């Protein structure tokens, strides 16, 4: 890319025409990501007060599962009601979910509240991605998405700081009240700043694909239930139900007049299909970091919630910094970074498992967490453009909205699978340090398999690219 043209595009975003809208979208991402890290930090305190250690993965699974459902329909809702109204409603529901969670009297209550919050978050994220396409000119899309991703840098510090301070003081509910206040401010600001009618083309015939969304719900529910049952045969059966539900949803979606995903979703013969596999597998591999590592650090190493939260947040910070630093690279670099990113993730996960079992000091785990973040961060800027630029004619909007949907799906499946591995390793009934250490090894080590599969998808992507030299999939 021409360096002068690149600098011009960055300067264009500082123009008052785009700056207020950009600030709203970045604030929405910040609220989402901050809340994710905030809950990661206070979840051990919630489990200590309310019980339910065996259900530790379910609040995250419930949130992400509901987000998938909402994000799946967000494109249709923005088409019918506009970006502004859809985003504002999503933020309000998100805040209400946090409010309900702040009054929780049991872990089941927390899970239900996270379902509500996840639905609002899915609407917000889906509307935000639609806003990029509907409001900004195409030449600015990559820069807008990159800037939205940098909101993670702030949340890396804000989330664990807010959550850790409240958890350290013994008032984890106060952290959720902060989320409610910030949601109210963002909803008002979005209503005032975002244009009312500059959304995707409106149609009156769009209907919510309830059947296909129901199959997604079934898959997430089955996978979550698999983390709770004890019998190996029941676990295997529920996992097969989840896989079958997702496969059936894809089959129905490809023949539908209004699709949730591109017509070639998860095909191994197109760059868009392979790119969706990459997003799914990368997010599955990254998901255990936020769910179980804080608990392992607190129970095995004696860290307080603030310290554990910041150690986990270093992985998200590494993701953000790596993404920003490599986003402008061209030539052979995208291929190299996509191929080596999953390898780094696998190494980081295995190192985490080994270090958690060893007597190594706590700070020795930080490089492994950072390597995991760098691995997904260096690959991330090139996956989205591969999916969107490789879309077939007529699939452009579906390809764009598929990015957050599949990202959330990967996180949900990863959270559910982490619960399966943790409980199969004896975590739910663990009382000794050795028993906890056994789970602390197997949870990250097993997810190195997902990173390995992501590497295979990267290899397939570039074989496909060489077979289609005229492709415009521009990583």
């Amino acid at each position: 890319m021409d360096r002068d043209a690149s600098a011009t595009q960055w300067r264009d975003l500082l123009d008052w025409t785009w700056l207020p809208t950009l600030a709203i979208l970045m604030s929405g991402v910040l609220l989402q990501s901050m809340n994710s890290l905030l809950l990661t930090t206070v979840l051990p305190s919630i489990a200590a007060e309310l019980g339910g250690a065996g259900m530790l993965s379910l609040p995250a699974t419930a949130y992400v599962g509901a987000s998938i459902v909402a994000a799946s329909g967000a494109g249709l809702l923005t088409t019918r009601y506009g970006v502004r109204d859809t985003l504002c409603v999503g933020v309000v529901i998100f805040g209400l979910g946090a409010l309900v969670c702040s009054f929780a009297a049991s872990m089941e209550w927390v899970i239900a509240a996270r379902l509500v919050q996840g639905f609002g978050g899915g609407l917000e994220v889906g509307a935000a991605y639609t806003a990029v396409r509907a409001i900004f000119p195409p030449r600015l899309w990559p820069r807008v998405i990159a800037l939205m991703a940098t909101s993670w840098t702030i949340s890396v510090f804000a989330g664990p700081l807010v959550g850790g301070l409240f958890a350290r003081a013994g008032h984890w509910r106060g952290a959720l009240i902060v989320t409610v206040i910030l949601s109210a401010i963002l909803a008002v600001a979005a209503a005032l700043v975002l244009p009312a009618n500059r959304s995707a083309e409106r149609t009156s015939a769009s209907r919510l694909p309830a059947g296909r969304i129901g199959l997604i719900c079934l898959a997430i529910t089955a996978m979550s239930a698999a983390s709770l049952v004890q019998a190996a045969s029941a676990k295997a059966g529920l996992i097969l139900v989840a896989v079958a539900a997702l496969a059936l949803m894809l089959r129905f979606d490809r023949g539908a007049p209004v699709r949730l995903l591109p017509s070639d979703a998860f095909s191994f013969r197109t760059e868009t299909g392979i790119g969706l596999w990459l997003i799914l597998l990368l997010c599955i591999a990254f998901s255990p970091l936020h769910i179980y590592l804080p608990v392992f650090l607190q129970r095995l190493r004696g860290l307080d919630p603030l310290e554990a939260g910041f150690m986990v947040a270093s992985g998200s910070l590494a993701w953000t910094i790596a993404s920003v630093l490599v986003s402008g690279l061209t030539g052979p670099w995208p291929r190299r970074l996509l191929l080596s990113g999953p390898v780094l993730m696998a190494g980081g996960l295995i190192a985490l498992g080994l270090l958690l079992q060893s007597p190594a000091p706590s700070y020795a785990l930080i490089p492994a967490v950072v390597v995991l973040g760098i691995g997904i961060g260096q690959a991330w800027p090139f996956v989205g453009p591969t999916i969107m630029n490789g879309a077939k004619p007529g699939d452009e909007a579906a390809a764009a909205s598929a990015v957050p949907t599949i990202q959330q799906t990967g996180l949900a499946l990863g959270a559910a699978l982490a619960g399966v591995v943790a409980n199969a390793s004896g975590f739910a009934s663990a009382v000794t340090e050795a028993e906890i250490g056994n789970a602390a090894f197997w949870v990250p080590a097993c997810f190195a398999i997902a990173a390995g599969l992501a590497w295979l998808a990267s290899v397939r992507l570039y074989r496909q690219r060489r077979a289609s030299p005229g492709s415009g999939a521009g990583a």
Side-chain angles (χ1 to χ4, degrees):
M1 177 182 291
D2 182 80
R3 188 168 298 179
D4 291 338
S6 177
T8 300
Q9 290 177 13
W10 283 118
R11 286 197 299 268
D12 287 346
L13 284 174
L14 300 179
D15 187 273
W16 189 251
T17 304
W18 312 119
L19 193 57
T21 299
L22 180 62
I24 292 296
L25 299 183
M26 291 181 65
S27 298
V29 175
L30 173 60
L31 180 65
Q32 287 270 33
S33 54
M34 186 189 81
N35 179 262
S36 174
L37 295 170
L38 181 151
L39 190 80
T40 295
T41 305
V42 303
L43 194 56
S45 299
I46 295 175
E49 179 180 328
L50 305 180
M55 297 185 289
L56 206 60
S57 67
L58 294 187
T61 304
Y63 178 90
V64 180
S67 294
I68 295 167
V69 172
S72 297
L76 298 179
L77 291 174
T78 54
T79 297
R80 181 175 295 180
Y81 301 110
V83 167
R84 185 190 68 180
D85 293 349
T86 304
L87 190 145
C88 288
V89 169
V91 174
V92 169
I93 296 175
F94 181 86
L96 288 175
L99 182 63
V100 173
C101 193
S102 69
F103 290 100
S106 65
M107 186 62 79
E108 290 82 2
W109 188 329
V110 173
I111 294 168
R114 290 291 284 174
L115 275 170
V116 175
Q117 198 174 12
F119 189 85
L123 283 181
E124 179 188 341
V125 170
Y129 271 82
T130 305
V132 174
R133 181 175 179 271
I135 296 175
F136 292 89
R139 63 187 176 83
L140 295 179
W141 291 353
R143 302 303 181 186
V144 174
I145 293 174
L147 284 176
M148 288 167 63
T150 61
S151 296
W152 274 92
T153 304
I154 303 174
S155 69
V156 157
F157 298 101
L161 178 62
V162 174
L165 288 176
F166 278 100
R168 177 182 283 180
H171 300 294
W172 58 266
R173 300 174 194 271
L176 295 165
I177 296 298
V178 171
T179 300
V180 175
I181 296 171
L182 293 176
S183 298
I185 294 172
L186 178 59
V188 172
L192 295 174
V193 169
L194 294 181
N197 298 316
R198 293 188 67 181
S199 61
E201 296 82 1
R202 296 174 179 243
T203 65
S204 57
S206 298
R207 292 191 307 163
L208 197 66
R212 283 169 281 158
I213 290 177
L215 287 171
I216 295 174
C217 292
L218 175 61
I220 298 299
T221 301
M223 191 65 74
S224 300
S227 69
L228 299 178
V229 298
Q230 298 299 319
S233 58
K235 288 181 184 291
L238 287 167
I239 292 173
L240 288 176
V241 168
V243 173
L246 289 175
L248 197 58
M249 188 280 294
L250 283 174
R251 181 175 180 180
F252 288 155
D253 193 61
R254 285 177 178 171
V258 179
R259 290 188 295 269
L260 298 176
L261 299 173
S263 58
D264 57 347
F266 296 105
S267 168
F268 287 105
R269 298 180 178 179
T270 67
E271 294 180 11
T272 294
I274 299 169
L276 290 175
W277 274 115
L278 264 174
I279 285 185
L280 182 73
L281 293 167
L282 290 172
C283 289
I284 287 175
F286 190 75
S287 60
L289 180 72
H290 286 160
I291 300 170
Y292 282 98
L293 186 57
V295 183
F296 294 148
L297 290 172
Q298 292 181 50
R299 296 183 66 175
L300 290 175
R301 301 306 175 98
L303 299 185
D304 69 21
L306 185 60
E307 293 170 328
F310 273 120
M311 187 172 292
V312 172
S314 65
S316 297
L317 178 61
W319 177 349
T320 300
I321 293 176
S323 294
V324 172
L325 290 179
V326 306
S327 61
L329 295 178
T330 57
W333 282 105
R335 177 179 62 85
R336 295 171 182 171
L337 293 169
L338 269 174
L339 289 171
S340 59
V343 176
L344 287 178
M345 293 184 73
L349 287 164
I350 294 172
L352 272 177
L354 294 172
L355 289 168
L356 283 167
Q357 275 196 325
S358 75
S362 298
Y363 61 79
L365 277 73
I366 296 177
V369 175
V370 169
V371 166
L372 178 61
I374 290 174
I376 191 171
Q378 71 177 46
W380 198 255
F382 308 112
V383 183
T386 293
I387 293 169
M388 291 187 281
N389 293 332
K392 295 180 178 180
D395 276 349
E396 293 87 351
S401 62
V403 174
T405 300
I406 301 305
Q407 179 183 357
Q408 297 281 30
T409 302
L411 293 173
L413 290 177
L417 286 170
V420 171
V421 175
N423 291 339
S425 304
F427 176 75
S429 57
V431 292
T432 67
E433 185 172 309
E435 290 173 328
I436 298 172
N438 184 57
F441 170 77
W442 285 111
V443 170
C446 285
F447 280 80
I449 297 173
L453 293 174
W455 178 80
L456 291 176
S458 297
V459 173
R460 175 60 183 169
L461 173 65
Y462 280 94
R463 287 179 178 172
Q464 177 64 33
R465 184 162 292 175
R466 285 199 300 269
S468 305
S471 171

